[in-house]
Amino acid sequence: MMVHRDNILCFLVLFCCFFAYTSLQAQQPRKKVGLVLGGGGAKGAAEVGVLKVLEEADIPVDYIAGTSIGAIVGGLYAIGYDAADIDSLYRNQNWLFLLSDQVKRESETFLSKEEREKYIVHIPLSKERKVSLPTGYVKGQNIFNLFSKLTVGYHQVDDFSNLPIPYRCVAVDLVEGKEVVFSSGSLPLAMRASMSIPGVFAPVEWKGKMLVDGGALNNLPVDVAKEMGADVIICVDLSTGWKKKEELKSPSAVVEQLIGMMGQTKYRKNMAEADLYINPSLKGFSAASFQPEAIDTMIQRGELAARQKWGELMDLKKYIYADVPDSIMQNEILKDQKLLKLQKPLHTEAYHIGRIRIEGIGGEEEEWIRKKIALRDDSEVSPVDIDGTLAMLRGLNIFSRVEYRLSNDEPYELVFMLEPNESRRISVGARFDTQDLASVIAQISNNQQFSTRHHYALTGRISRNPFLEIKYAYGNLFGAKMGFSYRLAHYDFDLYGGKHKLDALEFLSHSLAGFYTRDIGNFRLKSGVQFDYYHYHSDMFMRDGSIQSRSSDHFLNYFASVVMDTYDRRYFPTRGSRIQVQGVLHTDDGLQYADGNPFGEATFCGESALRLNSRLYLLPKLKSRFVFGSSIPAIYQNYAGGVADGYYLPWQMAWESVQHVHLLERNVVTAQLGFRYRVKGKFYFTALGEYGKEAHKFSHILIGDDLWGGALRASYDFVLGPVSIQANYSSMGKNVGIYINAGFVF
């Protein structure tokens, strides 16, 4: 009986073991695949092409590890963007805008527009009054906010292993010189940190560390993917080998070479451990090759490189599924195909925002910002609304950092993360032109903080016509202000009457003004009283040919002006207008001039940009200046010439077809019509014609003397200011002139 019972027990044990083995065999998992994406800036477009082929080959991806651009492509893929999605994102970005800290002009205040379109560099001054040099050319505001927009739902993640595809990215701590592998936290911050190319992008501060591009130590993080649990490694390497001397002709090429030199031991070890190594042919392209045609070519190169490995891909696929029984293999492949499609990132026309928080400021400043923001708690907010708010906050030019995040669950908490600017800064600009040669302008100001009620600026220009200006104002930075200014200026320029040179006009001026100004949207209102003193070093000429021989003059003037500016760009605008109207009443004692009635002036300038097609723009412009009174001193006559209003004299009118300053009659009306054609990229060709009338009496302006001219100009929209060369001819000068300019006009 006992023997019989033992036999039954033995049979049951054997049956259970067999069943367990059979079940285990049936459920044997496939091997886990790790995708490693290396860094290389713009060359990351090739990784998109590789992803397309991997999807076509039905290669599953279980883990992703990336560095720099590989961290960006990999991060988006990890949260559900497929290859087609990333391809579209890559092609449809304004990379020049994203990889800068530019703010769209329509979002800027008047003050911000003036300073950005004059100065090349701004250097903050710390509270200790020490120069605080930027840690990178670009802070990365625009690219970070794009990452935030694309990763809604993943702004704060406890564990990147819980993403649709487990994900890691690599950065380097600049202080300790160690790798930092992001496995949790803010996904957009992790991606931004991994791509912080030293010297180009400012480091990311995180948990007391200063993080830069992970490519400095681990540009091909195969070891990271293995640590995640990958059995099989597919590696995409964007490197093109060491560049030769003749190839190192750009900053991006030099930086790329330096990064490639670092961490070579780990790079070679990681490369050798890849099961499938894909290295697209990207010779001739650099980390800065973001041109549309370059992106298209690099995506194709990535596809080609992966297709050339098709046989190896199929062998690898067999190996991945080698332990999966044939009976369920197809189901496993289908399940892998559907995994990513089931977890698309959150895309919606509106988010339900439960609460809005502002970090980095408080008190009066926070209260003012909340009023400025059009968004409200417990409301529907679209991505466009968030983009507009970010642009508005950045356009104020009082924050060095403007970012946002959303909580992961609805109703969302929307948090704006702000970092105030240093209160003081030094701004510097420079230009060259064939008329005045080199010019430099510098300013020390404190116009970068909302909380400041006392605003000052000290500005100096070194040129043939130098000046020094001190300005103080009290009031709201973006509202009404009252103040005073003092300007000491030296003027020295050749004066022409018709085609004849009259003389080299030289004098010194002192101007002391009290003013009231208010900015309202695209409008600026200004009024005040100004005392002017002129000390002449040469005789002053009148339009009738007479000479005013005086050593000095003084005037007490009352002025009022209004300016409207809706241009999308000050230089090479594509839409918008600028209109300025000003009136001035001139006296010598506050009541009268030269024992008689005061004399006055009225000026108008209106210009616009009208788009005719994608490349051609119409540029109409109308200007006038009328001087009224029985006695007009020589200093306040009408002067015209040059490419910019007010460069040689505050009331001098630009006449672009001649560079010399010409003396005109009391009343002048000019019209200009220009056609600008974008030849390619940032290269433009402009043709313009000018016509005007001048007359001694206002009533004779329509029958007055004719003024006409024209110019042909080739220009390039350089980041440090426009570069142009033009040929011109005018009835004033009656000769062909050549004019060259480089830099912003000031």
Side-chain angles (χ1 to χ4, degrees):
M1 190 69 178
M2 183 64 72
V3 175
H4 181 66
R5 187 185 303 167
D6 290 344
N7 288 336
I8 293 173
L9 285 172
C10 186
F11 174 77
L12 289 172
V13 170
L14 290 171
F15 178 79
C16 290
C17 290
F18 175 78
F19 181 81
Y21 173 78
T22 305
S23 180
L24 182 63
Q25 187 181 42
Q27 298 178 15
Q28 181 69 35
R30 62 168 174 78
K31 293 178 175 61
K32 299 296 183 181
V33 181
L35 177 63
V36 176
L37 301 175
K43 295 186 292 184
E47 294 174 333
V48 180
V50 173
L51 288 177
K52 288 183 177 182
V53 178
L54 294 182
E55 289 181 357
E56 185 182 333
D58 294 328
I59 302 296
V61 177
D62 301 288
Y63 306 104
I64 296 175
T67 296
S68 195
I69 190 66
I72 299 167
V73 174
L76 296 178
Y77 203 71
I79 62 174
Y81 289 92
D82 59 22
D85 296 328
I86 302 174
D87 179 286
S88 179
L89 288 170
Y90 220 105
R91 294 177 189 269
N92 295 322
Q93 300 303 319
N94 182 348
W95 288 101
L96 182 64
F97 176 78
L98 285 175
L99 299 175
S100 72
D101 291 321
Q102 293 180 25
V103 182
K104 292 183 178 178
R105 194 174 188 271
E106 54 261 40
S107 301
E108 293 184 288
T109 64
F110 257 94
L111 181 62
S112 298
K113 292 173 184 177
E114 290 176 347
E115 294 190 344
R116 185 173 63 83
E117 294 161 355
K118 184 184 299 181
Y119 301 105
I120 298 172
V121 64
H122 301 279
I123 304 172
L125 289 172
S126 68
K127 294 180 179 179
E128 295 77 22
R129 299 186 179 182
K130 295 180 179 179
V131 173
S132 177
L133 295 175
T135 53
Y137 179 70
V138 179
K139 286 184 176 293
Q141 293 275 283
N142 292 329
I143 194 75
F144 181 88
N145 288 324
L146 175 66
F147 295 162
S148 298
K149 185 177 181 178
L150 296 175
T151 59
V152 171
Y154 301 98
H155 286 184
Q156 198 63 41
V157 183
D158 293 333
D159 189 348
F160 288 170
S161 296
N162 296 328
L163 298 180
I165 300 177
Y167 167 79
R168 300 288 189 271
C169 68
V170 180
V172 172
D173 181 6
L174 195 60
V175 177
E176 296 186 0
K178 296 180 180 179
E179 272 184 60
V180 175
V181 179
F182 277 94
S183 60
S184 64
S186 168
L187 183 59
L189 184 141
M191 294 159 63
R192 166 67 180 86
S194 186
M195 58 155 284
S196 298
I197 302 172
V200 179
F201 288 97
V204 171
E205 295 187 31
W206 177 78
K207 296 185 178 180
K209 304 177 185 296
M210 292 189 68
L211 304 180
V212 297
D213 196 305
L217 292 181
N218 194 354
N219 201 40
L220 211 63
V222 171
D223 56 322
V224 176
K226 284 184 172 292
E227 289 174 9
M228 295 174 72
D231 304 304
V232 175
I233 299 293
I234 299 174
C235 180
V236 185
D237 185 6
L238 303 175
S239 65
T240 54
W242 300 124
K243 291 180 173 59
K244 297 179 180 179
K245 179 181 177 180
E246 55 272 17
E247 297 177 294
L248 298 171
K249 295 181 178 180
S250 67
S252 62
V254 173
V255 171
E256 189 177 350
Q257 185 94 320
L258 286 171
I259 292 176
M261 290 178 176
M262 304 168 76
Q264 272 295 296
T265 302
K266 175 170 277 192
Y267 168 79
R268 296 183 184 280
K269 182 176 181 295
N270 281 341
M271 183 174 64
E273 292 184 358
D275 296 280
L276 182 64
Y277 176 79
I278 301 174
N279 183 214
S281 177
L282 301 173
K283 202 76 172 177
F285 297 98
S286 74
S289 299
F290 284 103
Q291 302 84 359
E293 57 274 15
I295 289 173
D296 183 66
T297 301
M298 288 187 291
I299 290 175
Q300 294 178 21
R301 296 277 181 90
E303 287 190 58
L304 178 62
R307 292 194 186 281
Q308 290 174 341
K309 301 274 187 175
W310 188 265
E312 295 177 54
L313 276 173
M314 293 298 102
D315 292 339
L316 192 64
K317 183 177 176 180
K318 291 178 182 178
Y319 176 70
I320 293 168
Y321 291 98
D323 297 328
V324 180
D326 294 340
S327 60
I328 65 169
M329 181 180 291
Q330 196 58 38
N331 288 335
E332 286 292 304
I333 293 174
L334 290 173
K335 185 174 72 174
D336 289 334
Q337 289 175 341
K338 293 178 180 179
L339 178 63
L340 211 59
K341 303 295 182 183
L342 293 173
Q343 304 215 38
K344 282 287 184 180
L346 176 64
H347 291 291
T348 180
E349 293 184 358
Y351 311 118
H352 181 69
I353 302 299
R355 182 189 178 200
I356 296 174
R357 284 200 302 114
I358 299 176
E359 293 180 353
I361 58 174
E364 183 186 0
E365 192 171 13
E366 181 181 354
E367 184 179 343
W368 186 86
I369 290 294
R370 285 190 176 276
K371 291 179 181 178
K372 192 76 172 174
I373 293 175
L375 312 181
R376 296 292 179 263
D377 294 347
D378 195 22
S379 64
E380 300 296 311
V381 176
S382 71
V384 175
D385 294 332
I386 295 176
D387 288 343
T389 302
L390 292 170
M392 181 275 294
L393 292 172
R394 297 243 357 251
L396 296 174
N397 200 31
I398 59 175
F399 301 113
S400 59
R401 173 174 171 251
V402 178
E403 298 167 359
Y404 82 99
R405 68 172 183 265
L406 283 172
S407 61
N408 293 341
D409 302 310
E410 203 172 13
Y412 298 102
E413 181 181 60
L414 174 59
V415 183
F416 291 103
M417 300 170 288
L418 310 178
E419 184 178 309
N421 282 326
E422 294 282 358
S423 61
R424 294 170 293 276
R425 70 180 182 184
I426 300 173
S427 305
V428 180
R431 72 184 288 261
F432 169 88
D433 74 333
T434 49
Q435 185 68 15
D436 291 326
L437 302 180
S439 301
V440 176
I441 190 169
Q443 182 185 87
I444 300 176
S445 65
N446 74 331
N447 291 323
Q448 288 81 49
Q449 284 194 336
F450 171 81
S451 59
T452 303
R453 284 289 181 268
H454 302 274
H455 311 278
Y456 67 81
L458 174 63
T459 309
R461 181 177 74 187
I462 301 174
S463 72
R464 183 179 176 183
N465 295 290
F467 72 78
L468 179 67
E469 183 178 64
I470 302 171
K471 187 179 292 183
Y472 168 82
Y474 177 84
N476 190 309
L477 179 59
F478 307 110
K481 293 191 290 290
M482 297 182 66
F484 67 87
S485 65
Y486 168 75
R487 183 182 180 103
L488 171 65
H490 178 267
Y491 296 96
D492 182 5
F493 54 88
D494 295 331
L495 181 65
Y496 282 71
K499 63 182 298 183
H500 303 292
K501 179 180 177 181
L502 299 178
D503 203 350
L505 192 62
E506 185 179 3
F507 61 92
L508 189 70
S509 75
H510 300 265
S511 298
L512 180 65
F515 61 85
Y516 169 87
T517 183
R518 183 176 181 85
D519 295 343
I520 307 173
N522 293 316
F523 291 84
R524 167 169 284 184
L525 310 175
K526 189 173 184 179
S527 62
V529 60
Q530 179 169 309
F531 175 79
D532 291 327
Y533 176 84
Y534 300 97
H535 180 70
Y536 306 117
H537 298 281
S538 60
D539 293 333
M540 301 295 293
F541 290 83
M542 304 294 286
R543 186 68 173 90
D544 60 6
S546 62
I547 298 176
Q548 178 185 300
S549 297
R550 306 171 65 107
S551 62
S552 64
D553 267 326
H554 70 271
F555 304 91
L556 187 64
N557 312 316
Y558 306 94
F559 65 89
S561 67
V562 58
V563 182
M564 183 199 74
D565 190 342
T566 62
Y567 272 144
D568 63 336
R569 305 172 68 190
R570 186 66 187 95
Y571 300 92
F572 311 105
T574 62
R575 66 179 183 276
S577 305
R578 181 180 172 89
I579 298 174
Q580 180 171 357
V581 181
Q582 178 173 284
V584 185
L585 185 66
H586 300 272
T587 76
D588 57 7
D589 62 4
L591 297 174
Q592 57 187 359
Y593 172 70
D595 299 322
N597 294 322
F599 67 96
E601 65 174 275
T603 60
F604 171 86
C605 178
E607 56 186 275
S608 184
L610 304 172
R611 178 176 176 175
L612 301 179
N613 58 42
S614 62
R615 292 179 178 269
L616 185 63
Y617 296 87
L618 180 66
L619 308 172
K621 185 182 293 185
L622 181 66
K623 295 181 181 181
S624 64
R625 184 172 184 262
F626 307 113
V627 186
F628 307 96
S630 57
S631 179
I632 312 297
I635 192 68
Y636 286 111
Q637 298 283 318
N638 275 314
Y639 299 85
V643 297
D645 293 319
Y647 183 78
Y648 298 102
L649 286 166
W651 45 91
Q652 159 251 332
M653 301 169 60
W655 185 264
E656 295 189 53
S657 55
V658 63
Q659 272 66 64
H660 296 296
V661 180
H662 289 255
L663 182 61
L664 303 181
E665 289 285 4
R666 291 185 178 186
N667 301 282
V668 179
V669 177
T670 69
Q672 183 186 100
L673 189 63
F675 291 89
R676 187 182 69 241
Y677 182 76
R678 183 173 62 84
V679 180
K680 184 179 180 181
K682 300 168 72 176
F683 180 70
Y684 299 87
F685 183 80
T686 304
L688 58 90
E690 296 178 302
Y691 180 77
K693 288 282 191 177
E694 62 168 339
H696 184 73
K697 294 183 178 181
F698 177 76
S699 59
H700 294 171
I701 191 65
L702 295 179
I703 58 173
D705 295 334
D706 292 328
L707 304 169
W708 55 268
L712 297 175
R713 180 189 303 143
S715 308
Y716 184 80
D717 186 10
F718 189 54
V719 66
L720 301 180
V723 177
S724 62
I725 179 171
Q726 76 174 39
N728 49 62
Y729 185 88
S730 172
S731 62
M732 291 186 192
K734 296 183 179 180
N735 64 315
V736 176
I738 302 295
Y739 179 71
I740 299 172
N741 173 81
F744 300 118
V745 177
F746 52 79

PDB file of all heavy atoms in Angstrom, residues 307-325:
ATOM      1  N   ARG A 307      19.565  50.575 -43.839  1.00  0.00           N
ATOM      2  CA  ARG A 307      19.177  49.596 -44.860  1.00  0.00           C
ATOM      3  C   ARG A 307      20.363  48.753 -45.313  1.00  0.00           C
ATOM      4  O   ARG A 307      20.209  47.587 -45.666  1.00  0.00           O
ATOM      5  CB  ARG A 307      18.546  50.302 -46.050  1.00  0.00           C
ATOM      6  CG  ARG A 307      17.209  50.938 -45.739  1.00  0.00           C
ATOM      7  CD  ARG A 307      16.422  51.336 -46.970  1.00  0.00           C
ATOM      8  NE  ARG A 307      15.227  52.049 -46.585  1.00  0.00           N
ATOM      9  CZ  ARG A 307      14.122  51.479 -46.132  1.00  0.00           C
ATOM     10  NH1 ARG A 307      14.077  50.156 -46.012  1.00  0.00           N
ATOM     11  NH2 ARG A 307      13.080  52.216 -45.806  1.00  0.00           N
ATOM     12  N   GLN A 308      21.529  49.361 -45.299  1.00  0.00           N
ATOM     13  CA  GLN A 308      22.724  48.600 -45.641  1.00  0.00           C
ATOM     14  C   GLN A 308      23.009  47.505 -44.609  1.00  0.00           C
ATOM     15  O   GLN A 308      23.771  46.578 -44.888  1.00  0.00           O
ATOM     16  CB  GLN A 308      23.921  49.540 -45.768  1.00  0.00           C
ATOM     17  CG  GLN A 308      23.849  50.452 -46.994  1.00  0.00           C
ATOM     18  CD  GLN A 308      24.967  51.485 -47.017  1.00  0.00           C
ATOM     19  OE1 GLN A 308      25.585  51.774 -45.979  1.00  0.00           O
ATOM     20  NE2 GLN A 308      25.229  52.055 -48.191  1.00  0.00           N
ATOM     21  N   LYS A 309      22.403  47.643 -43.437  1.00  0.00           N
ATOM     22  CA  LYS A 309      22.538  46.639 -42.376  1.00  0.00           C
ATOM     23  C   LYS A 309      21.300  45.740 -42.309  1.00  0.00           C
ATOM     24  O   LYS A 309      21.099  45.047 -41.311  1.00  0.00           O
ATOM     25  CB  LYS A 309      22.719  47.337 -41.021  1.00  0.00           C
ATOM     26  CG  LYS A 309      23.935  48.266 -40.936  1.00  0.00           C
ATOM     27  CD  LYS A 309      25.176  47.519 -40.559  1.00  0.00           C
ATOM     28  CE  LYS A 309      26.334  48.468 -40.303  1.00  0.00           C
ATOM     29  NZ  LYS A 309      27.544  47.784 -39.818  1.00  0.00           N
ATOM     30  N   TRP A 310      20.492  45.706 -43.348  1.00  0.00           N
ATOM     31  CA  TRP A 310      19.226  44.973 -43.309  1.00  0.00           C
ATOM     32  C   TRP A 310      19.427  43.494 -43.009  1.00  0.00           C
ATOM     33  O   TRP A 310      18.691  42.917 -42.188  1.00  0.00           O
ATOM     34  CB  TRP A 310      18.473  45.157 -44.624  1.00  0.00           C
ATOM     35  CG  TRP A 310      17.079  44.597 -44.572  1.00  0.00           C
ATOM     36  CD1 TRP A 310      16.666  43.356 -44.987  1.00  0.00           C
ATOM     37  CD2 TRP A 310      15.927  45.240 -44.037  1.00  0.00           C
ATOM     38  NE1 TRP A 310      15.324  43.197 -44.762  1.00  0.00           N
ATOM     39  CE2 TRP A 310      14.835  44.347 -44.167  1.00  0.00           C
ATOM     40  CE3 TRP A 310      15.687  46.484 -43.458  1.00  0.00           C
ATOM     41  CZ2 TRP A 310      13.536  44.662 -43.756  1.00  0.00           C
ATOM     42  CZ3 TRP A 310      14.398  46.806 -43.049  1.00  0.00           C
ATOM     43  CH2 TRP A 310      13.346  45.892 -43.190  1.00  0.00           C
ATOM     44  N   GLY A 311      20.398  42.888 -43.643  1.00  0.00           N
ATOM     45  CA  GLY A 311      20.668  41.477 -43.377  1.00  0.00           C
ATOM     46  C   GLY A 311      21.020  41.241 -41.920  1.00  0.00           C
ATOM     47  O   GLY A 311      20.514  40.308 -41.276  1.00  0.00           O
ATOM     48  N   GLU A 312      21.886  42.093 -41.366  1.00  0.00           N
ATOM     49  CA  GLU A 312      22.242  41.986 -39.957  1.00  0.00           C
ATOM     50  C   GLU A 312      21.041  42.246 -39.048  1.00  0.00           C
ATOM     51  O   GLU A 312      20.891  41.622 -38.002  1.00  0.00           O
ATOM     52  CB  GLU A 312      23.364  42.963 -39.630  1.00  0.00           C
ATOM     53  CG  GLU A 312      24.687  42.658 -40.334  1.00  0.00           C
ATOM     54  CD  GLU A 312      25.755  43.692 -40.031  1.00  0.00           C
ATOM     55  OE1 GLU A 312      25.997  43.923 -38.835  1.00  0.00           O
ATOM     56  OE2 GLU A 312      26.315  44.266 -40.990  1.00  0.00           O
ATOM     57  N   LEU A 313      20.159  43.164 -39.468  1.00  0.00           N
ATOM     58  CA  LEU A 313      18.944  43.440 -38.699  1.00  0.00           C
ATOM     59  C   LEU A 313      18.057  42.204 -38.624  1.00  0.00           C
ATOM     60  O   LEU A 313      17.503  41.875 -37.566  1.00  0.00           O
ATOM     61  CB  LEU A 313      18.165  44.609 -39.320  1.00  0.00           C
ATOM     62  CG  LEU A 313      18.585  46.026 -38.929  1.00  0.00           C
ATOM     63  CD1 LEU A 313      17.818  47.051 -39.776  1.00  0.00           C
ATOM     64  CD2 LEU A 313      18.320  46.276 -37.450  1.00  0.00           C
ATOM     65  N   MET A 314      17.905  41.513 -39.754  1.00  0.00           N
ATOM     66  CA  MET A 314      17.067  40.314 -39.771  1.00  0.00           C
ATOM     67  C   MET A 314      17.680  39.199 -38.916  1.00  0.00           C
ATOM     68  O   MET A 314      16.950  38.475 -38.209  1.00  0.00           O
ATOM     69  CB  MET A 314      16.879  39.833 -41.212  1.00  0.00           C
ATOM     70  CG  MET A 314      16.058  40.811 -42.085  1.00  0.00           C
ATOM     71  SD  MET A 314      14.345  41.050 -41.476  1.00  0.00           S
ATOM     72  CE  MET A 314      14.528  42.645 -40.665  1.00  0.00           C
ATOM     73  N   ASP A 315      19.004  39.067 -38.985  1.00  0.00           N
ATOM     74  CA  ASP A 315      19.672  38.065 -38.136  1.00  0.00           C
ATOM     75  C   ASP A 315      19.504  38.423 -36.658  1.00  0.00           C
ATOM     76  O   ASP A 315      19.273  37.544 -35.810  1.00  0.00           O
ATOM     77  CB  ASP A 315      21.158  37.976 -38.488  1.00  0.00           C
ATOM     78  CG  ASP A 315      21.389  37.382 -39.866  1.00  0.00           C
ATOM     79  OD1 ASP A 315      20.485  36.691 -40.391  1.00  0.00           O
ATOM     80  OD2 ASP A 315      22.484  37.612 -40.437  1.00  0.00           O
ATOM     81  N   LEU A 316      19.623  39.709 -36.359  1.00  0.00           N
ATOM     82  CA  LEU A 316      19.465  40.163 -34.982  1.00  0.00           C
ATOM     83  C   LEU A 316      18.043  39.928 -34.495  1.00  0.00           C
ATOM     84  O   LEU A 316      17.813  39.553 -33.338  1.00  0.00           O
ATOM     85  CB  LEU A 316      19.833  41.641 -34.874  1.00  0.00           C
ATOM     86  CG  LEU A 316      19.990  42.208 -33.452  1.00  0.00           C
ATOM     87  CD1 LEU A 316      21.153  41.531 -32.747  1.00  0.00           C
ATOM     88  CD2 LEU A 316      20.218  43.727 -33.505  1.00  0.00           C
ATOM     89  N   LYS A 317      17.083  40.161 -35.386  1.00  0.00           N
ATOM     90  CA  LYS A 317      15.684  39.949 -35.035  1.00  0.00           C
ATOM     91  C   LYS A 317      15.440  38.475 -34.673  1.00  0.00           C
ATOM     92  O   LYS A 317      14.736  38.166 -33.699  1.00  0.00           O
ATOM     93  CB  LYS A 317      14.795  40.378 -36.199  1.00  0.00           C
ATOM     94  CG  LYS A 317      13.307  40.275 -35.933  1.00  0.00           C
ATOM     95  CD  LYS A 317      12.518  40.786 -37.132  1.00  0.00           C
ATOM     96  CE  LYS A 317      11.025  40.622 -36.956  1.00  0.00           C
ATOM     97  NZ  LYS A 317      10.286  41.117 -38.135  1.00  0.00           N
ATOM     98  N   LYS A 318      16.024  37.556 -35.469  1.00  0.00           N
ATOM     99  CA  LYS A 318      15.898  36.122 -35.168  1.00  0.00           C
ATOM    100  C   LYS A 318      16.489  35.812 -33.797  1.00  0.00           C
ATOM    101  O   LYS A 318      15.939  35.027 -33.031  1.00  0.00           O
ATOM    102  CB  LYS A 318      16.590  35.295 -36.246  1.00  0.00           C
ATOM    103  CG  LYS A 318      15.887  35.331 -37.601  1.00  0.00           C
ATOM    104  CD  LYS A 318      16.662  34.518 -38.627  1.00  0.00           C
ATOM    105  CE  LYS A 318      15.998  34.588 -40.008  1.00  0.00           C
ATOM    106  NZ  LYS A 318      16.796  33.830 -41.029  1.00  0.00           N
ATOM    107  N   TYR A 319      17.628  36.431 -33.525  1.00  0.00           N
ATOM    108  CA  TYR A 319      18.289  36.202 -32.246  1.00  0.00           C
ATOM    109  C   TYR A 319      17.442  36.732 -31.091  1.00  0.00           C
ATOM    110  O   TYR A 319      17.344  36.094 -30.035  1.00  0.00           O
ATOM    111  CB  TYR A 319      19.663  36.875 -32.262  1.00  0.00           C
ATOM    112  CG  TYR A 319      20.404  36.791 -30.949  1.00  0.00           C
ATOM    113  CD1 TYR A 319      20.918  35.579 -30.497  1.00  0.00           C
ATOM    114  CD2 TYR A 319      20.585  37.925 -30.152  1.00  0.00           C
ATOM    115  CE1 TYR A 319      21.594  35.499 -29.282  1.00  0.00           C
ATOM    116  CE2 TYR A 319      21.262  37.859 -28.950  1.00  0.00           C
ATOM    117  CZ  TYR A 319      21.763  36.638 -28.506  1.00  0.00           C
ATOM    118  OH  TYR A 319      22.415  36.562 -27.296  1.00  0.00           O
ATOM    119  N   ILE A 320      16.828  37.917 -31.287  1.00  0.00           N
ATOM    120  CA  ILE A 320      15.998  38.518 -30.248  1.00  0.00           C
ATOM    121  C   ILE A 320      14.835  37.605 -29.879  1.00  0.00           C
ATOM    122  O   ILE A 320      14.492  37.438 -28.698  1.00  0.00           O
ATOM    123  CB  ILE A 320      15.479  39.899 -30.712  1.00  0.00           C
ATOM    124  CG1 ILE A 320      16.652  40.887 -30.841  1.00  0.00           C
ATOM    125  CG2 ILE A 320      14.431  40.456 -29.738  1.00  0.00           C
ATOM    126  CD1 ILE A 320      16.281  42.174 -31.559  1.00  0.00           C
ATOM    127  N   TYR A 321      14.235  36.986 -30.898  1.00  0.00           N
ATOM    128  CA  TYR A 321      13.073  36.125 -30.669  1.00  0.00           C
ATOM    129  C   TYR A 321      13.434  34.640 -30.653  1.00  0.00           C
ATOM    130  O   TYR A 321      12.544  33.785 -30.738  1.00  0.00           O
ATOM    131  CB  TYR A 321      12.010  36.377 -31.745  1.00  0.00           C
ATOM    132  CG  TYR A 321      11.339  37.723 -31.655  1.00  0.00           C
ATOM    133  CD1 TYR A 321      11.758  38.789 -32.457  1.00  0.00           C
ATOM    134  CD2 TYR A 321      10.280  37.941 -30.775  1.00  0.00           C
ATOM    135  CE1 TYR A 321      11.148  40.019 -32.376  1.00  0.00           C
ATOM    136  CE2 TYR A 321       9.654  39.183 -30.692  1.00  0.00           C
ATOM    137  CZ  TYR A 321      10.094  40.217 -31.491  1.00  0.00           C
ATOM    138  OH  TYR A 321       9.480  41.438 -31.415  1.00  0.00           O
ATOM    139  N   ALA A 322      14.722  34.310 -30.519  1.00  0.00           N
ATOM    140  CA  ALA A 322      15.165  32.911 -30.618  1.00  0.00           C
ATOM    141  C   ALA A 322      14.524  32.018 -29.572  1.00  0.00           C
ATOM    142  O   ALA A 322      14.253  30.839 -29.825  1.00  0.00           O
ATOM    143  CB  ALA A 322      16.693  32.834 -30.508  1.00  0.00           C
ATOM    144  N   ASP A 323      14.282  32.527 -28.396  1.00  0.00           N
ATOM    145  CA  ASP A 323      13.730  31.737 -27.296  1.00  0.00           C
ATOM    146  C   ASP A 323      12.208  31.752 -27.245  1.00  0.00           C
ATOM    147  O   ASP A 323      11.605  31.157 -26.355  1.00  0.00           O
ATOM    148  CB  ASP A 323      14.281  32.232 -25.957  1.00  0.00           C
ATOM    149  CG  ASP A 323      15.787  32.066 -25.864  1.00  0.00           C
ATOM    150  OD1 ASP A 323      16.314  31.103 -26.449  1.00  0.00           O
ATOM    151  OD2 ASP A 323      16.437  32.915 -25.215  1.00  0.00           O
ATOM    152  N   VAL A 324      11.610  32.449 -28.191  1.00  0.00           N
ATOM    153  CA  VAL A 324      10.145  32.514 -28.227  1.00  0.00           C
ATOM    154  C   VAL A 324       9.623  31.421 -29.157  1.00  0.00           C
ATOM    155  O   VAL A 324      10.027  31.360 -30.319  1.00  0.00           O
ATOM    156  CB  VAL A 324       9.675  33.901 -28.717  1.00  0.00           C
ATOM    157  CG1 VAL A 324       8.160  33.965 -28.752  1.00  0.00           C
ATOM    158  CG2 VAL A 324      10.235  35.003 -27.824  1.00  0.00           C
ATOM    159  N   PRO A 325       8.736  30.545 -28.690  1.00  0.00           N
ATOM    160  CA  PRO A 325       8.192  29.477 -29.532  1.00  0.00           C
ATOM    161  C   PRO A 325       7.528  30.034 -30.787  1.00  0.00           C
ATOM    162  O   PRO A 325       6.925  31.112 -30.766  1.00  0.00           O
ATOM    163  CB  PRO A 325       7.169  28.792 -28.634  1.00  0.00           C
ATOM    164  CG  PRO A 325       7.611  29.112 -27.246  1.00  0.00           C
ATOM    165  CD  PRO A 325       8.213  30.471 -27.308  1.00  0.00           C
TER     166      PRO A 325
END
